[in-house]
Amino acid sequence: MKALVLCGGAGTRLRPITHTSAKQLVPVANKPVLFYGLEAIAAAGVTQTGIVVGDTEREIREAVGDGSRFGLDVTYLPQEVPLGLAHAVLIARDYLGDDDFVMYLGDNFIVGGISGVVDEFRRERPEAAILLTHVSEPSAFGIAELDTAGRVVGLDEKPQEPKSDLALVGVYLFTPAVHEAVRAIEPSRRGELEITDALQWLIEQGRDVRSTTISGYWKDTGNVTDMLEVNRSVLETLEPRIDGSVDEASEIIGRVRIEDGAKVFTSRVVGPAVIGAGTVIADSYVGPFTSIAEDCRIEESEIEYSIVLSRASIVGMRRIEVSLIGHHVEVTPAPRTPSVHRLVLGDHSKVQIPS
């Protein structure tokens, strides 16, 4: 069995961060989202992994390398234009050959991994298997319709009138039968080859398409709100550890990880939070659910429920919350402008102006 990991998307919902960085490499608890997926694939016993890459190929290659650090053997599959998930299967045809494979979206996050569903697929070998979860806004996702026996009878990509609230999670399992399906479908109204259309084709051909509804945590980390929520979820499982230095004037409360080379001076850090290697926290407050990457500088500032990427500096800021701050960013107070009052007052007026 092989794996196909999709990293070709542009990440428009995470701009401006993704103008200069791949969305799959934005860190959660100081580890790129993509790495959690690669670790899950390796834990499921799948080693041969093709990564579909686009404009951010160089960054993905530099981060992942040959895959050996994850226990994987990685092959890179260039995709000139991202034209849908089924298109990614098309361009990977030669690599996949006649092997079964698991397709994993590189910006998705699933707590608990995929070992169970991979093992079940290996035992049962339906033509396809999908993961589903209940969502509050089904029109934003690919949606599955099940019959009374729980069998998949219909799929629709981002429907205007959803027939259920069961969204497809970004993990799919296929036998080689899917290659016939992706060749048979036409581009959708979005101009893309939709994997939901390929699955629907399999269903209409009488093929065995099964589903598993997961109860664990899942997020598509496509926007800032979801990134911060995933970061919160991961930090809640953080094992506290202090490898850096903390002076006697500082206070560390709760689950806090301070990585090697980080320094905390006259500051208060309330977990769950992680402080990256080489980062300096001075005269500041770092609140819960905050991830600060390596080589950052936080001075005379307060920050909470945020992600700060490497080599950023925040100096003299009263309070920052619910924020995603990119690499090499500098955040400082704006210079104060003199207050000016322009008045036209009638006779005998009385005016009170705060000083």
Side-chain angles (χ1 to χ4, degrees):
M1 191 172 189
K2 291 178 179 174
L4 187 66
V5 180
L6 274 53
C7 294
T12 54
R13 292 178 293 159
L14 272 175
R15 287 176 180 169
I17 298 294
T18 50
H19 279 309
T20 54
S21 178
K23 65 177 179 177
Q24 297 85 4
L25 297 181
V26 176
V28 168
N30 285 5
K31 181 164 70 176
V33 171
L34 173 61
F35 289 9
Y36 292 95
L38 296 178
E39 290 169 355
I41 289 167
V46 180
T47 57
Q48 299 294 316
T49 302
I51 299 183
V52 177
V53 289
D55 292 341
T56 58
E57 176 180 357
R58 180 183 60 81
E59 298 156 68
I60 299 293
R61 281 181 178 268
E62 287 178 358
V64 177
D66 63 3
S68 57
R69 62 185 289 191
F70 306 99
L72 302 175
D73 181 5
V74 167
T75 299
Y76 293 95
L77 307 169
Q79 183 185 32
E80 292 185 6
V81 181
L83 296 175
L85 305 188
H87 180 258
V89 176
L90 271 178
I91 65 109
R93 179 68 179 92
D94 290 343
Y95 171 77
L96 295 169
D98 292 326
D99 293 316
D100 296 349
F101 66 98
V102 53
M103 184 167 74
Y104 198 114
L105 275 58
D107 60 351
N108 274 224
F109 184 88
I110 301 173
V111 170
I114 59 172
S115 297
V117 293
V118 169
D119 289 344
E120 182 178 355
F121 184 83
R122 282 172 163 150
R123 288 194 307 270
E124 304 294 335
R125 282 202 84 230
E127 271 80 12
I130 57 177
L131 272 62
L132 304 174
T133 191
H134 294 281
V135 295
S136 58
E137 298 181 8
S139 60
F141 302 91
I143 294 298
E145 181 185 3
L146 308 183
D147 64 14
T148 54
R151 292 184 294 265
V152 184
V153 296
L155 295 132
D156 198 3
E157 183 66 29
K158 296 181 174 64
Q160 294 182 353
E161 297 181 2
K163 294 181 179 179
S164 82
D165 67 346
L166 288 170
L168 279 78
V169 173
V171 176
Y172 309 80
L173 299 105
F174 295 111
T175 66
V178 72
H179 298 300
E180 183 181 2
V182 297
R183 290 194 304 269
I185 62 175
E186 299 291 332
S188 67
R189 60 181 180 271
R190 301 193 305 162
E192 297 186 356
L193 291 175
E194 311 285 4
I195 200 66
T196 45
D197 289 344
L199 287 161
Q200 183 65 39
W201 186 90
L202 289 171
I203 293 169
E204 291 170 356
Q205 298 298 312
R207 306 297 181 87
D208 188 4
V209 177
R210 301 185 188 179
S211 70
T212 299
T213 301
I214 63 172
S215 57
Y217 186 85
W218 165 78
K219 276 288 184 183
D220 168 7
T221 60
N223 59 51
V224 173
T225 300
D226 288 340
M227 283 295 308
L228 294 173
E229 176 62 18
V230 170
N231 189 62
R232 181 199 62 77
S233 177
V234 175
L235 287 177
E236 285 183 335
T237 66
L238 185 74
E239 291 294 328
R241 191 179 72 243
I242 298 179
D243 294 330
S245 63
V246 179
D247 73 356
E248 294 182 355
S250 296
E251 187 178 15
I252 307 299
I253 301 172
R255 295 190 304 278
V256 176
R257 188 174 74 216
I258 299 176
E259 297 179 349
D260 187 38
K263 298 178 180 179
V264 179
F265 302 102
T266 56
S267 296
R268 190 167 186 253
V269 182
V270 179
V274 56
I275 311 298
T279 285
V280 175
I281 311 293
D283 304 306
S284 296
Y285 166 77
V286 177
F289 309 120
T290 302
S291 296
I292 300 176
E294 68 276 6
D295 299 319
C296 293
R297 178 185 171 214
I298 313 294
E299 185 176 332
E300 297 179 346
S301 300
E302 298 180 2
I303 185 167
E304 185 172 313
Y305 197 82
S306 296
I307 298 173
V308 181
L309 276 56
S310 63
R311 296 174 178 80
S313 69
I314 301 171
V315 178
M317 295 304 300
R318 247 173 114 181
R319 189 76 169 184
I320 294 174
E321 293 182 349
V322 195
S323 299
L324 175 56
I325 297 171
H327 304 277
H328 301 277
V329 166
E330 296 182 6
V331 182
T332 57
R336 291 187 176 181
T337 56
S339 297
V340 175
H341 304 288
R342 184 180 179 185
L343 307 174
V344 179
L345 302 174
D347 296 344
H348 307 294
S349 296
K350 291 183 180 180
V351 180
Q352 291 181 330
I353 300 174
S355 58

